Amino acid sequence: MFATARKLTNIHTRVPSDIEVAQSVAPISIDRIAAEAGILPEELDLYGKSKAKVHLSIRERLKDVPNGHYIVVTAITPTPLGEGKTTTTVGLSQALGAHLDKNVFTCIRQPSQGPTFGIKGGAAGGGYSQIIPMEEFNLHLTGDIHAIIAANNLLAAAIDTRMFHERSQSDEALFDRLCPADEQGNRRFSAVMLRRLRNLGISKTDPNALTPEERSRFARLDIDPDSITWRRVVDTNDRMLRQITIGQGPEEKGAARVTGFDMAVASEIMAILALATSLADMRERLGRMVIGTNRAGTPLTADDIGVGGALTVLMKDALMPNLMQTIEGTPAFVHAGPFANIAHGNSSIVADQIALKLVGPEGYVLTEAGFGADMGMEKFFDIKCRYSGLLPNCVVLVATIRALKMHGGGPKVVAGQPLSHAYLHENLDLLEKGCSNLIRMIANAREFGLPVVVAINRFKTDTPAEIELVRRIAVASGAEDAVMSNHWAEGGAGAVALAKAVVAACEKPSHFKFLYPLDIPIKQKIETIVREMYGGSGVEYSPEAEKKIELYTRVGFDRLPICMAKTQLSLSHDPNLKGAPIGFVVPVRDIRASIGAGFLYPLLGAMSTMPGLSTRPGYYDIDIDTETGRVVGLS
């Protein structure tokens, strides 16, 4: 095992708050974590004593080392009662590393500050299964999200400034300003301009050699304002920015238009960070992001705007994974954080690639997929694994007795009000009904040809009869095993049985396959996901969706994978349908294109990319001890 792994010795019977637990454990120096994981000093950029960035060059050094076992952690359909997917991922990592002496790496997403200061709290895990320092994990970390905000908003500004200048200038004037002549009359194209010329089918490299018609085509983008899909972003829940009007200053007369802000983690640039496999790959992906069309309906890209290279400069350091550690000293990569209901909801490919080499052929890499096995897990397989080429070995499916009861029709959960008796006391009938969701999710995972282990994340109110019922149903439904895990209260020691089950499952044969091929029509891909993952009976397409399907097929975007944008709270498009509904028809109201990230995303119902704050947000509890500098109240 990596020698830094350590068993906890100061566990309290009554588990303190997450931040109290995290602050009770002194982090191991991150350069020691790195060294004992096999990372060389020159492959590490330190950000203080407890976090660092790891260079991608490590993959070349370790290219001949066989990959370790690759495990994706997913869950049943989320409920307000919580499933503890990250906590389970971390506890399982601690069990494998500190208790079973295995080389192990945890790969998880960086959280947005929106939920941290809003209603969800942090995302470092919980109890005695956390990433530390949890304050740094949940806040600025190494600045990756800030880089995304800077890059995203630079592109937004570039779009609007291009429309502003095109509005008042002739084609010739635009060309003269884009390629000004020096005293000898010589002009030059920048590298990004040459990319635009190639896209236009113009092979000339001397600006003076362009014909007037070619100069016009090159210089005037003729952006259709109504087609623009690119919005500004911020990493704060701010409902007042969902729709805004820009261009109202006196110098921008006539340039006003309606737009809005998204959360930073909803930016396509975040999705690209998670899917890019190299700096060159990231440069290409950023450059081909489509921001809208011209008035003739031709897609326009960031490179057409002229900003692809500058975006890459802002993002170059963000591409390196962030190295941290669990409470029990097992190493963790925290990298990227795309939405799992709008984007693909998985941490970065490069983090997984590096981790699989570092653990070696006998080691284990745990990577967490957002939301349930109908959402992040399906996208992990059909999007992330397509671009990474990595083959998974096993699925860990997290469930709780309480959440399954809610899927069985349990009473509504209201924030701030006591839980119903049904969730706190044994109720086998309600639980058995709710296991319909678990059965569906096991079937979803097995659809990809992989062994499944169910992790029953224990709460103190769970009874032996309830745990045995879930175990029996899970195994009867095709899971290799279903194991109660008490990692929140006991750390890695509470997940040893789960870890042993996962090790055994990884020795089973797997027959991984994608859900659909890329060369089938867009509608067929969508309908396959609806039928096979959600249990739906059909799909209805709005006129707007039909128009987009025709456009994307005409311009060659139809060979991309599908990233469904739907509620995470149900297998269906309707958040009120719990359990495992059947026979529903899914409405596709629109389809949008993330060409840089490399997927199309159909919108199923109304999707919010900018959450709002409640009456009493989480920031009320967050403060600092000014004498010690310690953060308090972060959950």
Side-chain angles (χ1 to χ4, degrees), residues 132-202:
I132 57 172
M134 69 93 83
E135 311 96 303
E136 296 179 29
F137 174 97
N138 284 307
L139 299 175
H140 304 283
L141 199 57
T142 58
D144 293 349
I145 292 180
H146 300 306
I148 289 165
I149 293 170
N152 185 102
N153 293 345
L154 174 62
L155 176 52
I159 294 166
D160 286 305
T161 200
R162 184 58 173 262
M163 289 194 296
F164 173 80
H165 289 297
E166 285 194 16
R167 195 174 289 113
S168 60
Q169 297 181 44
S170 67
D171 293 352
E172 192 60 33
L174 283 170
F175 183 80
D176 284 341
R177 284 167 173 78
L178 289 169
C179 301
D182 62 18
E183 293 179 356
Q184 288 75 41
N186 297 317
R187 305 174 189 264
R188 71 175 187 87
F189 289 124
S190 64
V192 75
M193 291 177 176
L194 293 172
R195 286 172 177 259
R196 171 158 172 77
L197 288 168
R198 287 195 294 270
N199 290 339
L200 293 172
I202 300 172

Side-chain angles (χ1 to χ4, degrees), residues 263-568:
M263 288 296 296
V265 292
S267 170
E268 184 177 354
I269 295 177
M270 174 62 90
I272 287 173
L273 176 64
L275 291 170
T277 56
S278 66
L279 187 61
D281 182 38
M282 185 168 73
R283 171 63 184 90
E284 294 302 317
R285 288 174 178 271
L286 291 171
R288 66 173 181 255
M289 291 187 300
V290 172
I291 59 91
T293 68
N294 63 17
R295 295 181 191 274
T298 302
L300 294 171
T301 68
D303 274 346
D304 289 324
I305 301 293
V307 76
L311 302 183
T312 311
V313 169
L314 287 170
M315 289 295 297
K316 66 181 181 64
D317 291 340
L319 186 59
M320 294 185 289
N322 304 297
L323 180 66
M324 296 188 77
Q325 64 190 281
T326 70
I327 281 178
E328 296 190 38
T330 59
F333 280 134
V334 181
H335 197 213
F339 265 17
N341 52 0
I342 295 294
H344 66 291
N346 283 263
S347 59
S348 74
I349 285 175
V350 292
D352 289 1
Q353 288 175 331
I354 293 171
L356 285 164
K357 294 300 181 185
L358 288 170
V359 299
E362 302 302 318
Y364 298 83
V365 171
L366 307 170
T367 191
E368 180 190 341
F371 295 136
D374 59 323
M375 297 284 284
M377 185 200 73
E378 183 270 321
K379 296 170 184 179
F380 169 79
F381 293 135
D382 282 321
I383 298 175
K384 185 176 178 181
C385 289
R386 283 189 200 271
Y387 287 123
S388 71
L390 298 173
L391 298 177
N393 299 99
C394 173
V395 174
V396 174
L397 181 61
V398 181
T400 66
I401 302 293
R402 304 193 309 179
L404 289 171
K405 287 178 179 178
M406 190 169 190
H407 281 295
K412 184 178 180 180
V413 175
V414 180
Q417 294 186 13
L419 281 181
S420 165
H421 181 277
Y423 299 120
L424 302 175
H425 297 83
E426 186 173 291
N427 191 325
L428 297 179
D429 289 341
L430 190 63
L431 176 59
E432 186 167 9
K433 290 176 184 176
C435 280
S436 61
N437 187 268
L438 176 65
I439 293 168
R440 177 81 236 181
M441 294 306 196
I442 292 171
N444 282 2
R446 285 173 56 81
E447 184 76 26
F448 293 91
L450 297 177
V452 183
V453 174
V454 173
I456 307 170
N457 183 18
R458 184 179 185 275
F459 282 77
K460 64 181 181 180
T461 53
D462 300 343
T463 70
E466 289 176 328
I467 294 169
E468 175 56 25
L469 176 62
V470 174
R471 191 202 68 78
R472 178 171 54 79
I473 290 174
V475 172
S477 302
E480 297 296 328
D481 205 346
V483 182
M484 188 277 291
S485 186
N486 198 25
H487 44 276
W488 178 82
E490 300 176 1
V496 168
L498 174 62
K500 290 179 178 177
V502 170
V503 170
C506 286
E507 299 305 317
K508 299 269 186 177
S510 62
H511 307 281
F512 177 68
K513 60 179 180 178
F514 297 118
L515 187 63
Y516 54 82
L518 293 181
D519 58 359
I520 62 175
I522 293 171
K523 283 187 176 181
Q524 192 174 343
K525 294 174 193 170
I526 293 171
E527 288 157 16
T528 298
I529 296 171
V530 168
R531 183 178 63 253
E532 301 296 333
M533 292 288 104
Y534 308 160
S537 60
V539 180
E540 288 181 349
Y541 300 92
S542 71
E544 181 64 23
E546 293 279 9
K547 187 169 68 173
K548 292 290 182 63
I549 290 171
E550 187 279 327
L551 169 64
Y552 297 153
T553 302
R554 175 168 53 84
V555 299
F557 297 164
D558 56 320
R559 295 299 182 96
L560 293 174
I562 299 297
C563 184
M564 299 288 248
K566 76 171 185 74
T567 178
Q568 71 274 21

